[in-house]
Amino acid sequence: MADSPKLPIPGRRNILITSALPYVNNVPHLGNIIGCVLSADVFSRYCRLRGYNSIYMCGTDEYGTATETKALEENCSPQEICDKYHAIHKEVYEWFNIGFDHFGRTSSPQQTEVCQAIFHKLMENNWLSENSMQQLYCDTCERFLADRLVEGTCPTQDCNYESARGDQCEKCGKLLNPTELIDPRCKVCRNTPRIRDTDHLFLELPLLRGKLEEYINDMSVAGSWSQNAIQATNAWLKEGLRPRCITRDLKWGVPVPHEKYKDKVFYVWFDAPIGYISITSCYTSEWEKWWKDPENVELYQFMGKDNVPFHTVMFPSTLLGTNQNWTLMKTISVTEYLNYETGKFSKSKGVGVFGNDAKDTGIPAEVWRYYLLSNRPEVSDTLFTWADLQSKITELSNNLGNFIYRVLSYIAKPPGSGYGSIIPDAPNAELHPLTKTLAQKVNKHVDQYLDAMEKVKLKQGLKVAMSLSSDGNLYLQESEFWDLYKEDPATCSIVVKTAAGLVYLLASLLEPFMPSFSIEVLKQLNMPPETQLSLCHEKGDIDLAGRPWDILPAGHKIGNPKPLFKSLEDNEVEFFRDKFSGSQADRIVMAEAKTKKIAEKLKTTKISATEISVTRLDIRVGLIKKVQKHPDADSLYVEEIDVGEESTRTVVSGLVKYIPLEDMQNRKVCVLCNLKPASMRGIKSQAMVLAASNNDYTKVELVDPPESAQVGERVTFPGFSGEPDDVLNPKKKVWETLQTDLQTNAELVACYQGVPFTTSAGVCKVSTISEGAIR
């Protein structure tokens, strides 16, 4: 969030962005994330990239029946439910790198204030009516049942779904009244409720129809509404607008400021969209500059298709009825459903991959973002499958990752075979035919990217941006730059400088989609962390796309290149498919059964847990005397390590892409010395260097003994005693069993079950990775 709130600036393009407020009664799943917050975040980041003056407002939708229902389920108050799930939502979105300007809540005092002020205006202007309606009443619970506290069979012909809610059938999508349900039942006590009369307030949509249709006809064209939004809106209008009840017999909600209805609260679909306004008022006291200036502010809203009528009919009608100069929605971007493997994602049933699940897979956030956005259901439902995720990661690695690593690692080669990490000069680059052709392609693609993004065709924008790395790979192939270095150095410099500029341009174009990827590319280019990527016309950033050789200055020293993406193996795909099959409830039952089975097995096994002790590992302080790259494997080092014996041990380690060669020289390390020797690409490895990795294995660091630790001394674990095995028996899987308990702690100390790796000179540590696995 900015230090001081942004306000509209005269003469600038001012864009107010919102996404449907995620409901607070559960963890968001991938379908929720792509449908609202992620899509809005991409557009918000794009606006910043273009230099538009934009803000992105969102927050949790906290009032209504679903919260009361969840509170009953979890035996706590609605406020406690909201506090719990607001924190979970916030954490999930932070992990996904969603860059809100403000992420608020609808249970704030500001929500009550704004909501009641709008209500008073509607009352003054006579757009509200009173009426008696029939509602289901549960004698057992002694309360009127709100829509979501009722379940029954859907009355729609050929649907007959038996678990339809009182407000909407999840199967056919039809909006319902609870009294229409066949065989209704109370969700709390499961008894059959009866119909009773109750008085409520209604928004007179039929009387507002003229104002509403004028707004829809004008703005759907001016704002290029997506086709699915227009269809859903027209369906409501065609069916005929009816007075819409805006009050409910509930306790949890914004109180109705009317003597007769003081025991009621506002219906969540009346109050929730007002949340966009109240959340902005939490962001800045001058919120009206955003929300009451339609001449200078454009409102873009993002949501799933089931939310459309509330934003194109209900919310604008509410605002129009106040006769105030509100900033009404200009553009609405709507997604269809993202389905999961063999069925629908469902929060209520716990089916699919949820935000916290995505984090736990160890697959980086940028990869999830790329997958969801390349699979964004813009015009029809799309399907999430693990196999498709795997192929998208391969696409990222082979296309984008390969191009960037190829270019930067070539520049980083020492003089004589590369450029010693210095961007070369490239005079007269525009005269080189192949480079000129590439520049024309790049220019065209950047124009297509801007056109797609302005129209909020995010999937198309991503596709066009990715085609630039395909152009880059083709350019490298056609130039045969690996031969040019010696045969035609001047042309080689042109190709390399142009390709390096394209790397920077890709980081810019893809920042809205994969911000953490762009940060890493800037790091590898050795750009300052505060570098602001930009695609502004005013600064001429876009013009540079047609001259990629001019993007990076000659003489600039790049950073340390390394591969950007890690592939997903077949066995991992099978593991995840199995792990996330069924519902969350099924998974809990399965996990409990598995735990019980393991416990039973432990009772009958002959080996007690104490026999597989960390003391069986022979971990020593070692000193790397010599290190070089494996002659037959690019990712492996071959080290000669002194572990206190007569001669050094040969150790092969897969650390090339994580730790530079110079950082491996003459360094003390922790060495596991009693693994069975294994041949790795023709060289026998006689031990293993211990290192810690982060969750997604993008970062690996050596476990460092204290500088003054004695070479050859054994690493111990206070409280554990015993002698190490001569050689660990691979069949008994002693190392594999113990390794799961080796981890760095929050203070960066290497531990076994929380007990530090200890030497005579103190404990062993890593540089930056906390809570990392050691292997």
Side-chain angles (χ1 to χ4, degrees):
M1 182 176 157
D3 292 336
S4 57
K6 288 182 273 186
L7 295 172
I9 300 169
R12 287 276 296 280
R13 191 167 176 203
N14 301 297
I15 298 179
L16 171 57
I17 300 162
T18 73
S19 57
L21 304 181
Y23 205 77
V24 80
N25 70 327
N26 217 321
V27 183
H29 58 61
L30 296 183
N32 304 136
I33 290 166
I34 185 60
C36 56
V37 295
L38 178 54
S39 294
D41 179 60
V42 173
F43 187 69
S44 171
R45 288 176 181 276
Y46 167 75
C47 289
R48 290 200 287 269
L49 204 60
R50 294 302 308 280
Y52 302 152
N53 184 44
S54 64
I55 59 169
Y56 176 17
M57 296 289 113
C58 193
T60 40
D61 177 7
E62 302 195 352
Y63 285 137
T65 324
T67 307
E68 284 200 0
T69 310
K70 192 73 174 176
L72 285 166
E73 278 175 28
E74 298 197 13
N75 197 26
C76 62
S77 71
Q79 185 65 60
E80 286 170 324
I81 283 290
C82 293
D83 292 346
K84 171 185 170 180
Y85 283 102
H86 175 80
I88 290 170
H89 275 261
K90 203 164 185 290
E91 189 181 326
V92 166
Y93 302 142
E94 278 172 5
W95 186 80
F96 270 94
N97 287 314
I98 309 293
F100 307 109
D101 286 276
H102 187 71
F103 186 72
R105 318 175 58 166
T106 60
S107 59
S108 68
Q110 289 90 335
Q111 172 75 354
T112 300
E113 188 183 325
V114 177
C115 209
Q116 290 183 345
I118 287 172
F119 167 77
H120 284 306
K121 282 290 176 192
L122 292 170
M123 282 290 283
E124 278 174 35
N125 297 331
N126 297 317
W127 296 117
L128 299 178
S129 60
E130 298 181 66
N131 213 330
S132 175
M133 64 184 284
Q134 292 189 320
Q135 198 171 331
L136 294 174
Y137 183 88
C138 178
D139 289 305
T140 310
C141 298
E142 296 184 328
R143 63 190 290 186
F144 281 104
L145 298 180
D147 304 353
R148 289 194 176 210
L149 283 175
V150 188
E151 268 186 358
T153 302
C154 177
T156 308
Q157 197 173 358
D158 301 325
C159 177
N160 302 319
Y161 181 54
E162 291 182 1
S163 297
R165 296 194 311 252
D167 60 344
Q168 190 173 22
C169 174
E170 201 177 39
K171 185 181 175 187
C172 72
K174 186 172 174 63
L175 295 173
L176 300 168
N177 284 315
T179 50
E180 295 177 291
L181 291 172
I182 299 163
D183 299 324
R185 54 195 176 274
C186 170
K187 273 192 80 169
V188 180
C189 67
R190 314 308 292 172
N191 287 327
T192 304
R194 64 187 173 91
I195 294 173
R196 259 181 66 176
D197 286 345
T198 176
D199 291 339
H200 281 285
L201 287 163
F202 291 74
L203 179 63
E204 283 292 342
L205 289 179
L207 300 179
L208 285 158
R209 184 176 185 125
K211 286 183 176 220
L212 178 68
E213 286 188 337
E214 184 184 347
Y215 157 73
I216 291 169
N217 294 338
D218 290 348
M219 209 59 97
S220 60
V221 175
S224 304
W225 288 9
S226 52
Q227 204 50 46
N228 44 12
I230 292 169
Q231 285 168 352
T233 305
N234 287 341
W236 259 50
L237 294 174
K238 190 177 175 185
E239 200 175 291
L241 293 177
R242 291 177 292 182
R244 187 83 186 177
C245 184
I246 63 164
T247 52
R248 287 292 184 270
D249 289 293
L250 288 173
K251 299 291 180 212
W252 183 244
V254 174
V256 179
H258 187 294
E259 186 56 34
K260 183 178 174 183
Y261 299 99
K262 63 184 180 185
D263 292 334
K264 300 181 193 286
V265 299
F266 287 116
Y267 173 41
V268 70
W269 269 119
F270 174 77
D271 114 81
I274 295 170
Y276 304 128
I277 303 167
S278 74
I279 287 167
T280 312
S281 78
C282 295
Y283 169 70
T284 171
S285 58
E286 297 181 85
W287 61 271
E288 290 190 356
K289 290 185 176 178
W290 284 106
W291 279 99
K292 291 187 177 179
D293 189 3
E295 288 76 26
N296 294 305
V297 176
E298 301 167 59
L299 173 57
Y300 280 71
Q301 299 198 293
F302 291 78
M303 68 204 65
K305 64 180 175 184
D306 46 348
N307 287 343
V308 170
F310 302 108
H311 289 79
T312 60
V313 177
M314 279 285 290
F315 187 38
S317 295
T318 300
L319 298 182
L320 287 165
T322 64
N323 289 348
Q324 293 174 314
N325 196 29
W326 289 100
T327 302
L328 298 176
M329 179 180 65
K330 177 188 175 185
T331 297
I332 182 170
S333 180
V334 177
T335 52
E336 303 288 314
Y337 292 132
L338 175 70
N339 293 322
Y340 179 71
E341 289 273 347
T342 53
K344 279 186 176 180
F345 275 94
S346 171
K347 274 204 301 186
S348 54
K349 295 183 175 62
V351 174
V353 180
F354 288 72
N356 49 354
D357 296 331
K359 183 181 177 183
D360 293 343
T361 61
I363 298 167
E366 66 205 33
V367 172
W368 281 111
R369 284 177 67 114
Y370 175 77
Y371 176 77
L372 290 170
L373 289 157
S374 61
N375 202 23
R376 186 174 184 248
E378 291 183 351
V379 292
S380 60
D381 292 356
T382 58
L383 186 66
F384 171 95
T385 70
W386 288 101
D388 188 34
L389 175 64
Q390 182 187 31
S391 72
K392 288 287 196 302
I393 295 174
T394 303
E395 178 184 295
L396 264 181
S397 184
N398 292 353
N399 181 356
L400 182 65
N402 178 52
F403 171 68
I404 292 172
Y405 187 63
R406 238 173 134 188
V407 174
L408 299 188
S409 60
Y410 192 76
I411 295 170
K413 283 184 178 182
S417 55
Y419 294 89
S421 297
I422 304 295
I423 303 280
D425 200 4
N428 302 316
E430 66 277 8
L431 301 179
H432 180 237
L434 198 61
T435 301
K436 189 178 178 183
T437 303
L438 173 77
Q440 288 166 346
K441 270 191 199 175
V442 169
N443 220 0
K444 182 183 170 190
H445 279 138
V446 170
D447 283 345
Q448 290 172 339
Y449 169 88
L450 296 175
D451 182 60
M453 297 300 282
E454 289 293 333
K455 292 174 178 169
V456 203
K457 293 182 176 176
L458 307 182
K459 186 156 55 169
Q460 180 63 15
L462 178 55
K463 188 178 176 183
V464 173
M466 286 295 289
S467 67
L468 282 178
S469 62
S470 303
D471 293 341
N473 279 315
L474 185 62
Y475 174 64
L476 295 182
Q477 288 301 113
E478 289 181 343
S479 68
E480 298 182 346
F481 75 108
W482 52 90
D483 291 332
L484 289 174
Y485 186 79
K486 287 190 169 59
E487 293 171 10
D488 186 352
T491 303
C492 192
S493 294
I494 288 171
V495 171
V496 166
K497 191 168 191 280
T498 302
L502 194 52
V503 167
Y504 179 87
L505 184 60
L506 279 163
S508 302
L509 297 174
L510 290 168
E511 194 278 339
F513 300 94
M514 297 186 288
S516 54
F517 153 82
S518 297
I519 289 168
E520 178 57 30
V521 173
L522 289 177
K523 185 179 165 191
Q524 293 190 26
L525 284 169
N526 194 26
M527 300 284 192
E530 64 275 9
T531 299
Q532 292 292 311
L533 293 164
S534 174
L535 284 174
C536 286
H537 275 300
E538 294 84 0
K539 299 180 197 165
D541 301 317
I542 290 172
D543 298 336
L544 280 174
R547 304 191 313 279
W549 52 83
D550 282 341
I551 291 176
L552 295 176
H556 174 76
K557 186 174 184 179
I558 68 164
N560 178 34
K562 54 187 178 186
L564 289 155
F565 302 104
K566 178 178 174 278
S567 60
L568 194 62
E569 303 300 329
D570 290 346
N571 61 333
E572 292 176 290
V573 170
E574 285 308 312
F575 170 78
F576 289 135
R577 185 182 288 126
D578 181 56
K579 181 177 179 180
F580 295 108
S581 62
S583 68
Q584 286 178 316
D586 295 338
R587 289 175 220 155
I588 291 165
V589 170
M590 284 166 67
E592 286 172 350
K594 198 172 181 181
T595 305
K596 192 175 177 184
K597 194 174 178 182
I598 291 167
E600 292 299 322
K601 195 172 181 182
L602 277 173
K603 283 180 192 172
T604 57
T605 187
K606 291 178 183 175
I607 301 174
S608 71
T610 53
E611 283 182 276
I612 302 184
S613 163
V614 71
T615 57
R616 293 176 64 176
L617 304 181
D618 183 5
I619 302 174
R620 297 185 219 167
V621 175
L623 176 66
I624 300 174
K625 306 288 281 186
K626 183 182 169 188
V627 61
Q628 62 186 27
K629 285 194 177 177
H630 194 299
D632 298 318
D634 291 343
S635 64
L636 301 177
Y637 284 130
V638 180
E639 305 116 22
E640 296 299 325
I641 304 182
D642 179 0
V643 291
E645 297 169 340
E646 284 183 19
S647 56
T648 58
R649 291 208 192 188
T650 301
V651 179
V652 181
S653 308
L655 296 169
V656 171
K657 66 179 181 179
Y658 303 109
I659 301 169
L661 187 66
E662 59 270 21
D663 291 353
M664 295 287 290
Q665 308 280 6
N666 298 312
R667 178 173 183 164
K668 282 183 181 168
V669 286
C670 288
V671 185
L672 180 61
C673 294
N674 59 344
L675 279 178
K676 188 175 179 181
S679 186
M680 298 177 76
R681 289 292 185 94
I683 295 178
K684 187 164 277 190
S685 183
Q686 299 167 315
M688 182 168 75
V689 174
L690 295 182
S693 64
N694 60 356
N695 277 345
D696 55 13
Y697 215 70
T698 54
K699 195 175 184 186
V700 174
E701 294 174 349
L702 293 173
V703 176
D704 295 319
E707 206 40 59
S708 54
Q710 294 296 308
V711 172
E713 76 165 288
R714 194 172 167 214
V715 174
T716 59
F717 299 85
F720 291 89
S721 59
E723 290 302 310
D725 296 9
D726 290 334
V727 178
L728 296 172
N729 185 339
K731 289 183 180 174
K732 295 284 171 91
K733 297 200 178 299
V734 178
W735 163 243
E736 289 80 357
T737 303
L738 294 167
Q739 186 272 320
T740 57
D741 286 323
L742 298 178
Q743 201 171 27
T744 59
N745 65 15
E747 285 74 46
L748 310 178
V749 177
C751 298
Y752 169 74
Q753 293 184 353
V755 178
F757 283 47
T758 306
T759 71
S760 58
V763 299
C764 305
K765 301 183 80 171
V766 295
S767 301
T768 65
I769 299 173
S770 63
E771 317 294 344
I774 297 172
R775 49 173 73 82

